[in-house]
Amino acid sequence: MAASGIGVSVRRVEDFRFLTGRGNYTDDINRPNQLHAHILRSPHAHAKIKKIDASKALKGPGVAAVFTGADIEKDQIGGLPCGWLVTDRNGQPMVEPPHPVLVADRTRHVGDQVAVVIAETRAQARDAAELVKIDYDEQVATVGLADATKKGAPLVWDQAPGNICYDWALGDSAVVDAAFKTAAKVAKVDIVNNRLIPNAMEPRAAIGDYDLAKGNYNLYTTSQNPHVIRLLMSAYVLKVSEHKVRVYSPDVGGGFGSKIYHYAEEAIVCWASRKLGRPVKWTADRSESFMSDAHGRDHLTKAEIALDAGGKFLAMRVVTVANMGAYLSTFAPCIPTYLYALLLAGTYTTPAIFCEVKAIFTHTVPVDAYRGAGRPEATYVVERLVDEAARVTGLDVAEIRRRNFIPRDAFPYQTPVVVQYDSGDYQSTLEIALKTADYSGFAARRAESAKRGKLRGLGLSTYIEACGIAPSAVVGSVGARAGLYESGLVRVHPTGSVTILTGSHSHGQGHETTFAQLAAERLGVDFDKIEVVHGDTDKIPFGMGTYGSRSLAVGGSALVKAMDKIIAKGKKIAAHLLEAAEADIEFKDGTFSIAGTDKKKTLAEISGAAYVPHNYPINELEPGLEEQAFYDPTNFTFPGGCHVAEIEIDRDTGVVQLVSFVAVDDVGRVINPMIVEGQVHGGVAQGMGQALLEGCVYDQKTGQLVTGSYMDYTMPRASDLPTLKVSTHNTLCTHNPLGVKGVGEVGAIGSPAAIMNAVHNAVAPFGVTHVEMPATPERVWRALQSAPKAAE
Amino acid sequence: MPTVAMMVNGKKVSADVEPRTLLVHYLRENLGLTGTHVGCDTSQCGACVVDIDGASVKSCTQLAVQCEGAHVTTIEGLAQGETLHPMQEAFRENHALQCGFCTPGMVMSAIDLVKRNKSPSEREIREWLEGNLCRCTGYHNIVKAIAAAAQTMRG
Ligand code: FES
Ligand code: FES
């Protein structure tokens, strides 16, 4: 038990099936008699659809149907709903345009769904798609964020003048203005948070299988939250009763946010399956993923920070323009507001903060949460500002942070941007990271690199994040159209083995292992007698799924609640069997005993009695041993940490190589250290990708997606990364029963800023003060070529 | 439709296939060997790597008909019942997989590396994995696992 309980690096139970090719991903599933769908997508960023002629395609071999937006309208299929309503600074609701599953009259981004061709085989569906004639009237598109609000820019939606979805603000601008007037120094940044394409390695897929006999829809889909998909699809899109819909998300090959949202294809395959009386399967090509998975980030930000003579932060002002793309994806509006501005205090005592955010429509793919979602953007603003503040004050980058950290004894700490942090120890985290990274030896390493003709830089990021989202009442008060609790069900079988059903969903995080460890620890059951079930709305209680690093903090807490109910009921049964008062029964390591005696019953004996209630307090207690719980958190959790990056720049080519990376993170209580480290590794690789390699590029005139494949979009490869030095310095979360904070996103949140600060540090001797992210070879080379001065 | 015959995981198989059928689709759809994955359409992700006649090959870049008479090993052909191949074992031991989607290709590719280079350095491992993308692990533990497996396989 202890051997596989909390704090042990138990090897993962999911690995055997994945390593032997026996995983069960959506595209591995085939339904008897299934048809295959191919989606016809708009080749234009903005066009009117004049005419669609499918007559030739319908005669193609194996073709069962071609459906268009007109068919969708005829069947009154609803649009994809948005799950978050942001209210602007004047109290007005955001502009919320329709989001049809197949567009009928106008396309609004390259990749917009226009028609679906359904045939016996995938190849036949594709062949027939070539025969569908679509007459487009191409229109001028609004592509770049900078131009979208300019006068005369083509409107994505007539109801959104200036292409503005909302104009939102947080904080007291008068207080901030007053603080800036008293400032001894002001530091400013003008930065781009580059648009990213999530690229989970498994492309999205969906199978709709309508069961005519029962009148039920079955959807197999690559989702991080099957219940959310069931709710949105049944209530808003198909408009059918929720109990007639089963959504099943089997093994899912990575999500990183991109598989949270309800996508058109899910509804299309279900609707088409009913129309055609056969299952319909769709699997994305990678090129389709590039132009139809929701993208991430894409902010333009101007920010400034006011400092007193001692380098203390007095106030911060942030103005951000955030891209929504052409439609509002499920959670898009909350990302650049509530998951962004609320984090602008960072780990510092900055007393006054004002933030304005304009969300903008453009003729591009919708933008929504991608690993970190809002918080990497906030961290990038804050941590670049802090380094800039160090530059203008002449303070060391570590020292300016020390002077401004929220002290360890100041928790709970109320920030000026709504949230209250529960725990943290930022300075110790920084000192450990500096030691691990040998900060004091950096000058020597820089000199050594210089001998080899390389420019070396070191960068820090002492970041914070808010995760474990979130208290339902709080998010509801700021526009969420959902609760954010989690469900858990614990079923003790008659012989004492345990099945756990969780509303969280694992798509790489290893819940089947971690959650079993929780149960092994709490119930004292052998690890291999515990099975974790997730991803099937017919089996598990209504759950909100996995994103925002919430599974353990919220889903794990729900399981603890359910297990505590099991233990409480077990005590009653034990009291009866042992003929003792309930108050005298203790539960420890899987055994109920009368305190101070050796009279005891194992959990298996108790569950045996519960299911075979011959000798049982049947008048007071129901038989069986199964408990369910919903847990709604009382606050966010606040992981934080310090990342230290060292990079080398090749002066001739501008190539930046990450040569060393240290992460010391505070993730709260750790259940499985091996899994925690793995999460950080993966997050850091994605953060490195954002800092140095990845960037979604649209042709600014035509709106064509230039980075539409792995030939053009640079994914991090093994050779781009060094061995990572990852450790934790944890303070416990004070408001959930496990003390856990969450780890899924920390790597992607802290690292871009650390790496970009390292790049700036490396080029600083040349007088270069700004390199845009991602710091590609071309950008770095150009910056060095036009540098104001030669390095001294 | 042409007929193609080959050995897959030690078993003789043959089928009539459309000439344009890719090996990966033949494996997944005709043979039901869904352990070999498709992660891209430009031959870059490596999720589809299998062993053909002793070399690791991206099965999305081969037509099934090109493999007439070939010996193909997929991820399903590595373990003996419940006993994993040392490379699979090292991946499990070192937490070299998260979502598992890149894993079959990674393992097949890594086995080929160790066949060619019995003690690859960290740099050599990282360079070798150029054709295999993983979005989950940051490669850290994959590199560790391959080094550990190489050691085990050297004996
Ligand atoms: S499927 Fe991506 S390389 Fe073969
Ligand atoms: S483990 Fe998920 S892509 Fe490698």
Side-chain angles (χ1 to χ4, degrees):
Chain A
M1 273 152 268
S4 47
I6 289 176
V8 184
S9 289
V10 179
R11 295 301 177 261
R12 300 200 321 168
V13 296
E14 9 324 59
D15 288 358
F16 184 83
R17 69 175 188 273
F18 293 147
L19 280 164
T20 55
R22 285 170 180 77
N24 186 35
Y25 301 88
T26 303
D27 189 53
D28 300 344
I29 297 170
N30 292 297
R31 302 297 300 154
N33 205 24
Q34 79 191 2
L35 293 162
H36 295 262
H38 178 81
I39 309 279
L40 268 156
R41 298 180 183 279
S42 172
H44 306 296
H46 185 199
K48 282 190 190 147
I49 302 171
K50 293 206 319 219
K51 196 168 163 237
I52 301 180
D53 178 3
S55 54
K56 259 212 185 124
L58 283 165
K59 290 191 202 111
V63 174
V66 178
F67 296 125
T68 65
D71 300 296
I72 290 283
E73 281 181 359
K74 210 180 316 141
D75 283 6
Q76 296 185 349
I77 297 300
L80 302 172
C82 179
W84 204 295
L85 173 77
V86 166
T87 304
D88 75 8
R89 55 209 289 177
N90 302 314
Q92 295 303 308
M94 67 187 188
V95 176
E96 196 173 354
H99 190 176
V101 298
L102 289 174
V103 294
D105 56 344
R106 192 183 282 268
T107 70
R108 288 184 166 85
H109 66 83
V110 169
D112 215 350
Q113 316 76 237
V114 176
V116 57
V117 181
I118 300 172
E120 295 293 333
T121 70
R122 235 183 130 180
Q124 286 172 337
R126 275 160 188 270
D127 289 347
E130 305 267 328
L131 303 173
V132 178
K133 274 193 23 212
I134 306 176
D135 196 358
Y136 289 106
D137 178 7
E138 203 183 342
Q139 310 279 305
V140 189
T142 286
V143 184
L145 258 188
D147 295 333
T149 47
K150 288 203 180 129
K151 234 183 140 169
L155 291 187
V156 182
W157 297 98
D158 291 341
Q159 59 269 50
N163 288 310
I164 295 173
C165 171
Y166 58 73
D167 178 359
W168 178 89
L170 181 76
D172 189 334
S173 60
V175 176
V176 169
D177 291 349
F180 268 87
K181 288 211 181 86
T182 67
K185 288 254 157 65
V186 172
K188 299 180 184 193
V189 294
D190 184 349
I191 52 180
V192 173
N193 201 287
N194 43 321
R195 182 172 179 130
L196 302 176
I197 305 182
N199 275 300
M201 290 317 300
E202 178 206 24
R204 286 190 297 114
I207 307 170
D209 188 353
Y210 181 73
D211 179 346
L212 183 62
K214 290 193 189 151
N216 286 359
Y217 292 88
N218 293 286
L219 170 66
Y220 303 76
T221 184
T222 48
S223 175
Q224 301 177 213
N225 30 242
H227 275 104
V228 175
I229 303 305
R230 186 185 70 174
L231 171 63
L232 297 179
M233 187 174 77
S234 61
Y236 299 95
V237 187
L238 300 181
K239 298 170 189 157
V240 298
S241 195
E242 205 173 343
H243 73 292
K244 290 297 204 185
V245 180
R246 174 190 182 187
V247 179
Y248 179 51
S249 298
D251 288 326
V252 173
F256 316 113
S258 70
K259 292 171 180 167
I260 298 172
Y261 324 115
H262 181 27
Y263 285 99
E265 296 85 357
E266 293 168 324
I268 291 171
V269 293
C270 287
W271 167 72
S273 171
R274 180 168 184 183
K275 275 183 104 67
L276 299 172
R278 291 170 65 181
V280 176
K281 178 174 181 173
W282 168 82
T283 303
D285 283 338
R286 178 58 58 187
S287 339
E288 278 186 283
S289 310
F290 272 101
M291 59 174 136
S292 69
D293 292 3
H295 293 177
R297 319 279 194 259
D298 205 352
H299 288 193
L300 304 179
T301 296
K302 288 189 191 346
E304 47 193 339
I305 193 162
L307 298 107
D308 72 11
K312 276 285 262 182
F313 305 154
L314 300 174
M316 186 189 289
R317 194 184 281 139
V318 178
V319 180
T320 291
V321 182
N323 205 338
M324 294 283 105
Y327 303 95
L328 293 179
S329 173
T330 312
F331 288 119
C334 77
I335 311 301
T337 47
Y338 297 102
L339 290 182
Y340 170 70
L342 271 54
L343 278 302
L344 289 171
T347 47
Y348 313 108
T349 53
T350 317
I353 297 173
F354 182 65
C355 176
E356 295 174 305
V357 180
K358 274 199 187 79
I360 302 297
F361 292 115
T362 58
H363 287 109
T364 63
V365 172
V367 180
D368 205 325
Y370 164 64
R371 201 171 197 169
R375 293 146 293 168
E377 295 92 314
T379 299
Y380 188 53
V381 171
V382 174
E383 293 301 302
R384 282 291 303 126
L385 260 186
V386 169
D387 265 36
E388 196 48 27
R391 192 179 68 81
V392 301
T393 54
L395 284 169
D396 170 79
V397 291
E399 182 52 28
I400 195 167
R401 286 175 166 84
R402 287 188 195 103
R403 291 191 191 177
N404 286 285
F405 277 143
I406 298 164
R408 187 199 164 108
D409 56 10
F411 294 92
Y413 183 81
Q414 180 61 50
T415 72
V417 277
V418 184
V419 286
Q420 189 186 71
Y421 302 159
D422 62 337
S423 63
D425 181 9
Y426 308 134
Q427 173 143 3
S428 306
T429 310
L430 170 75
E431 306 304 344
I432 296 166
L434 291 179
K435 202 159 167 230
T436 314
D438 185 23
Y439 187 60
S440 53
F442 175 68
R445 291 195 295 283
R446 177 176 245 176
E448 190 278 328
S449 295
K451 271 195 213 138
R452 289 183 284 110
K454 306 261 175 159
L455 309 173
R456 198 176 185 106
L458 181 146
L460 299 182
S461 158
T462 44
Y463 71 94
I464 185 92
E465 72 158 314
C467 67
I469 50 176
S472 295
V474 173
V475 295
S477 70
V478 296
R481 291 164 167 161
L484 282 170
Y485 47 82
E486 195 47 272
S487 69
L489 187 148
V490 177
R491 179 175 295 152
V492 184
H493 297 286
T495 52
S497 62
V498 173
T499 299
I500 284 173
L501 295 96
T502 173
S504 299
H505 187 279
S506 179
H507 24 280
Q509 296 89 339
H511 297 162
E512 288 168 50
T513 306
T514 313
F515 286 2
Q517 286 180 256
L518 284 186
E521 175 91 23
R522 198 122 184 145
L523 296 178
V525 175
D526 283 347
F527 180 79
D528 52 14
K529 290 216 170 80
I530 304 164
E531 174 108 340
V532 176
V533 177
H534 64 89
D536 185 343
T537 60
D538 262 15
K539 286 188 185 158
I540 55 177
F542 194 97
M544 293 307 295
T546 288
Y547 38 83
S549 308
R550 68 195 301 275
S551 295
L552 196 54
V554 191
S557 296
L559 287 174
V560 168
K561 267 183 84 177
M563 287 191 283
D564 287 350
K565 290 186 191 176
I566 294 276
I567 294 166
K569 183 169 181 183
K571 281 186 179 169
K572 290 197 167 75
I573 303 170
H576 174 88
L577 294 177
L578 296 169
E579 296 174 342
E582 190 189 326
D584 293 336
I585 303 291
E586 282 178 348
F587 180 71
K588 202 169 168 257
D589 298 337
T591 304
F592 296 89
S593 57
I594 304 177
T597 75
D598 59 358
K599 288 176 78 178
K600 58 184 183 216
K601 293 278 177 195
T602 64
L603 180 65
E605 288 173 303
I606 295 297
S607 63
Y611 285 99
V612 188
H614 295 167
N615 175 17
Y616 194 80
I618 200 80
N619 292 331
E620 296 114 61
L621 220 51
E622 293 172 14
L625 199 53
E626 168 167 325
E627 296 289 350
Q628 178 175 325
F630 286 81
Y631 176 79
D632 201 297
T634 54
N635 192 356
F636 292 90
T637 62
F638 297 95
C642 177
H643 291 179
V644 188
E646 262 182 69
I647 57 101
E648 268 187 353
I649 296 174
D650 183 302
R651 285 184 66 169
D652 298 330
T653 62
V655 169
V656 181
Q657 181 75 30
L658 181 63
V659 291
S660 141
F661 195 91
V662 170
V664 181
D665 298 299
D666 175 356
V667 300
R669 191 184 309 284
V670 170
I671 309 299
N672 185 318
M674 173 189 85
I675 288 178
V676 162
E677 284 179 23
Q679 287 293 312
V680 177
H681 295 152
V684 169
Q686 288 179 359
M688 185 283 296
Q690 165 154 43
L692 301 179
L693 306 172
E694 297 178 42
C696 168
V697 177
Y698 276 99
D699 182 275
Q700 292 298 300
K701 261 222 170 87
T702 61
Q704 289 298 324
L705 178 61
V706 177
T707 50
S709 83
Y710 289 146
M711 311 221 267
D712 308 292
Y713 187 89
T714 316
M715 290 279 281
R717 286 166 202 270
S719 57
D720 296 320
L721 288 144
T723 293
L724 308 169
K725 293 190 200 96
V726 165
S727 63
T728 57
H729 173 68
N730 297 312
T731 60
L732 298 186
C733 170
T734 59
H735 57 81
N736 65 44
L738 289 163
V740 297
K741 293 185 176 178
V743 69
E745 298 163 295
V746 293
I749 290 171
S751 61
I755 295 168
M756 287 306 292
N757 281 341
V759 170
H760 284 91
N761 178 245
V763 296
F766 296 83
V768 177
T769 54
H770 182 65
V771 179
E772 207 71 85
M773 186 160 75
T776 58
E778 184 192 342
R779 283 183 179 158
V780 174
W781 184 84
R782 281 186 193 283
L784 288 172
Q785 293 305 306
S786 52
K789 56 180 175 186
E792 41 293 344
Chain B
M1 275 197 275
T3 303
V4 60
M6 62 184 92
M7 297 287 284
V8 176
N9 298 333
K11 271 198 222 106
K12 199 165 167 30
V13 292
S14 81
D16 297 338
V17 295
E18 267 197 84
R20 62 175 164 177
T21 307
L22 297 174
L23 177 61
V24 66
H25 290 135
Y26 176 68
L27 294 170
R28 290 180 57 80
E29 280 148 32
N30 291 59
L31 303 181
L33 295 171
T34 54
T36 304
H37 297 152
V38 180
C40 72
D41 44 15
T42 49
S43 242
Q44 275 154 326
C45 74
C48 62
V49 172
V50 299
D51 181 292
I52 303 179
D53 294 329
S56 57
V57 173
K58 288 176 171 169
S59 62
C60 71
T61 28
Q62 297 271 311
L63 296 167
V65 291
Q66 285 177 284
C67 302
E68 176 65 36
H71 284 71
V72 177
T73 306
T74 70
I75 189 75
E76 289 92 343
L78 287 183
Q80 304 289 322
E82 289 179 21
T83 311
L84 295 176
H85 181 282
M87 188 61 74
Q88 293 170 310
E89 192 56 57
F91 267 58
R92 176 160 72 177
E93 196 48 39
N94 290 283
H95 186 33
L97 60 150
Q98 291 182 25
C99 78
F101 197 79
C102 71
T103 310
M106 284 285 177
V107 169
M108 297 308 293
S109 181
I111 289 173
D112 194 19
L113 165 64
V114 175
K115 214 158 43 181
R116 291 162 195 248
N117 178 352
K118 294 213 164 358
S119 28
S121 66
E122 179 184 337
R123 210 9 64 193
E124 287 170 327
I125 296 172
R126 288 184 184 274
E127 301 289 347
W128 175 265
L129 293 179
E130 187 206 20
N132 290 83
L133 296 178
C134 174
R135 196 54 151 169
C136 299
T137 63
Y139 305 98
H140 182 103
N141 287 340
I142 294 178
V143 174
K144 242 168 82 182
I146 296 173
Q151 194 170 22
T152 315
M153 286 157 75
R154 282 199 299 275

